[in-house]
Amino acid sequence: MQAEQLPREVILLLICNGIVVTAAGAGKADIRVEGEIIYEIGESLKPRAGETVIDAQGKIVMPGGVDVHTHMDLDLGAVRATDDFYTGTVAAACGGTTTIVDHMAFGPRGCSISHQVDAYHKLAQGNAVVDYGFHGVLDHVDDTILAEIESLAGEGITSHKFYLTYDGKITDYEIIKLMDRACGLGVLLTVHAENDGALTWLREKYRAIGAAAGQSAPVFHAMSRPPECEAEAVSRMAWLAAMAGDAPLYIVHLSSKLALERIIEARSRGQENLYAETCPQYLFLDDSLYEREDALKYVMSPPLRSRGNCEALWAALGEGGVDVVATDHCPFFYAKEKQLGKDDFTKTPGGIPGVEPRIPLMFSGTVAGRLTPQRFVALCCENPARLFGLYPKKGVIAAGSDADIVIIDPHSAATLTADMLHENCDYTPYEGLPLPGRPVMTISRGEVIVSDGIFLGRKGRGSFLKRGLPDLSLRS
């Protein structure tokens, strides 16, 4: 259909003169958008009747960011995350993210996966301003759950998370049954990998030490969850996945060199379906922050690590050892919820904000020469879209793909502060970091929803994404 034949209400855009960056390459090109879809990519495209022309001269044009690890409206019982699906997705959009896949909270003990899916549809529908999906969450595994994993795949939920710690943790016996089923279906399992027995013992040890000393410093949180807890759990999960026929497995929020080495070791012995995600906090922040007076701001699990771990993860991003950068966005107010841990570090709700600054922070890695622009796009857009069944609808600039497009001005320079962000939180853990380049426009399915930091979209415009099976060919 020609542009001039389309109904008047259909969005017609021509983005011209920009440097288009995808995971496959970069070069000057123009992009024509008709309705919600990228219609054409070429050089020196001529404006058509009714088109809005966006001049991206001197700017980077990239796919909309895909964040596959958020916790919007997360209910922990005693506290609830301070970003819901409206405020959180507004923040995402303002930071250049046009798609999220949210990790749901546990429901009533022993409930079905669908119980939480239904609950989360009610939380997101009519609120989200960008497109979204859900990961299933498991607190037990039985024949009913295994059958439900198959039925939910038909509803577009093709990934599920399980935990090795917290009250909803499952056993190795349950895990290998789950892996065997997931392998047969082709769905992707994600795991929070920390050794629960070790960290429980260490938490009790350091709580007693703190009580004896009349203090409960947040640094004890980090000391009670050392890299060894993560590395052991990652290694164990890799071996179980191998025994289940190289079941697809995705390690969330990788934080340490020790755990990274266990992943590389498993791949070296032939495991092809083992994937890893890290987050900006494990790249830009380190455990020296636990010595600060406001250290409660940085309580998360896994905790921040030493600078050497940050450097190892940066290197792995460039070399392909880590596949995805997501956020684990889970904000709480420092002045309120975080203060629950001022006398006992174990009472601090774990989690930090981060959905908005992910894209500009990781773009700074390209400016610093740590990542190529193409690798930056792979980590933040295309790889997560591939692994979580969204590609080529999302994560790429290509004819026929959704017109999810972000424009970055590489010449704008700023210092990150909490007051420039839209996250519903009273701090950012990245306060004071330089941003050499920021998103200046976010387009979601053809609609300009953010321009120069101002949100222009409307509440509830985001759509639920029925995801396909994961593309497990990233390293093939």
Side-chain angles (χ1 to χ4, degrees):
M1 179 179 290
Q2 297 300 310
E4 54 269 22
Q5 297 175 316
L6 291 167
R8 189 177 303 173
E9 66 272 13
V10 172
I11 297 169
L12 304 173
L13 300 178
L14 180 63
I15 304 167
C16 58
N17 302 320
I19 303 299
V20 176
V21 179
T22 69
K28 193 168 183 178
D30 301 336
I31 303 170
R32 174 164 280 125
V33 173
E34 293 188 357
E36 299 187 345
I37 304 299
I38 295 172
Y39 176 77
E40 181 181 11
I41 302 169
E43 296 182 16
S44 303
L45 298 180
K46 302 300 182 184
R48 295 177 177 177
E51 283 184 334
T52 298
V53 177
I54 299 171
D55 188 355
Q57 181 72 43
K59 297 180 176 65
I60 304 296
V61 181
M62 59 174 280
V66 180
D67 189 348
V68 292
H69 192 160
T70 63
H71 292 283
M72 302 302 178
D73 220 345
L74 181 75
D75 186 358
L76 295 179
V79 294
R80 196 174 192 118
T82 55
D83 263 323
D84 60 21
F85 275 90
Y86 175 64
T87 62
T89 56
V90 167
C94 290
T97 289
T98 55
T99 301
I100 65 167
V101 184
D102 200 75
H103 283 284
M104 302 185 300
F106 291 119
R109 184 68 178 167
C111 72
S112 67
I113 309 170
S114 296
H115 178 283
Q116 287 304 91
V117 172
D118 293 342
Y120 267 68
H121 275 302
K122 293 175 183 176
L123 293 175
Q125 189 173 16
N127 287 306
V129 306
V130 301
D131 293 346
Y132 59 93
F134 305 132
H135 303 284
V137 65
L138 307 165
D139 70 357
H140 70 290
V141 177
D142 57 21
D143 289 344
T144 301
I145 291 292
L146 296 177
E148 195 177 17
I149 287 172
E150 181 174 7
S151 63
L152 283 172
E155 298 176 23
I157 296 183
T158 53
S159 56
H160 299 271
K161 186 177 186 180
F162 64 93
Y163 292 77
L164 303 185
T165 188
Y166 304 127
D167 290 342
K169 65 183 180 295
I170 61 176
T171 67
D172 287 358
Y173 173 71
E174 291 173 298
I175 290 165
I176 198 163
K177 285 175 62 177
L178 176 65
M179 287 176 168
D180 179 67
R181 184 62 174 148
C183 190
L185 294 172
V187 304
L188 184 59
L189 299 177
T190 80
V191 57
H192 178 126
E194 291 182 288
N195 183 298
D196 181 71
L199 68 85
T200 298
W201 178 77
L202 288 167
R203 189 168 59 239
E204 292 169 351
K205 171 184 174 180
Y206 286 111
R207 184 160 51 182
I209 290 172
Q215 60 175 331
S216 185
V219 70
F220 291 149
H221 168 75
M223 294 170 69
S224 71
R225 305 177 96 103
E228 290 83 357
C229 280
E230 182 181 33
E232 186 282 330
V234 166
S235 179
R236 179 159 43 95
M237 291 305 101
W239 279 115
L240 290 182
M243 285 188 276
D246 197 7
L249 183 66
Y250 179 95
I251 309 297
V252 301
H253 51 47
L254 188 73
S255 71
S256 67
K257 181 181 179 182
L258 270 180
L260 171 65
E261 289 170 346
R262 302 290 76 75
I263 291 170
I264 293 171
E265 180 183 85
R267 289 173 181 163
S268 71
R269 62 177 182 253
Q271 281 186 251
E272 297 179 355
N273 296 328
L274 181 60
Y275 305 92
E277 158 202 294
T278 194
C279 308
Q281 54 266 38
Y282 303 118
L283 302 168
F284 290 90
L285 310 177
D286 63 56
D287 59 1
S288 66
L289 293 168
Y290 292 123
E291 302 297 336
R292 289 173 39 149
E293 185 177 348
D294 61 353
L296 287 171
K297 291 178 178 177
Y298 307 98
V299 172
M300 66 195 79
S301 298
L304 300 178
R305 308 297 191 188
S306 68
R307 179 54 55 181
N309 288 280
C310 302
E311 293 303 319
L313 292 172
W314 270 115
L317 289 176
E319 296 165 0
V322 174
D323 306 290
V324 170
V325 175
T327 62
D328 196 8
H329 177 80
C330 189
F332 300 97
F333 286 116
Y334 173 63
K336 187 179 179 183
E337 291 88 358
K338 288 288 189 179
Q339 294 305 313
L340 293 171
K342 64 183 177 61
D343 298 319
D344 181 350
F345 72 93
T346 68
K347 304 299 184 185
T348 311
I352 61 169
V355 74
E356 187 168 354
R358 177 184 68 128
I359 294 294
L361 282 172
M362 295 311 299
F363 181 76
S364 76
T366 72
V367 176
R370 289 181 177 272
L371 301 171
T372 66
Q374 296 94 319
R375 185 63 182 160
F376 155 64
V377 169
L379 291 163
C380 295
C381 309
E382 185 167 317
N383 285 1
R386 285 184 179 275
L387 283 172
F388 290 95
L390 294 166
Y391 184 88
K393 183 179 177 70
K394 306 291 187 183
V396 66
I397 292 177
S401 297
D402 279 3
D404 289 1
I405 299 167
V406 171
I407 301 175
I408 291 178
D409 183 354
H411 306 294
S412 68
T415 298
L416 182 54
T417 60
D419 60 7
M420 70 170 56
L421 299 176
H422 301 76
E423 296 165 340
N424 186 32
C425 198
D426 58 356
Y427 78 99
T428 175
Y430 306 107
E431 187 81 27
L433 290 183
L435 295 180
R438 294 179 61 194
V440 294
M441 183 173 289
T442 302
I443 300 168
S444 171
R445 284 185 282 108
E447 180 183 351
V448 177
I449 61 171
V450 179
S451 181
D452 292 323
I454 299 172
F455 178 67
L456 305 173
R458 58 194 188 282
K459 187 176 186 179
R461 64 165 302 281
S463 295
F464 173 71
L465 297 166
K466 294 184 69 172
R467 296 181 289 122
L469 292 175
D471 175 357
L472 303 177
S473 64
L474 290 188
R475 284 182 300 276
S476 63

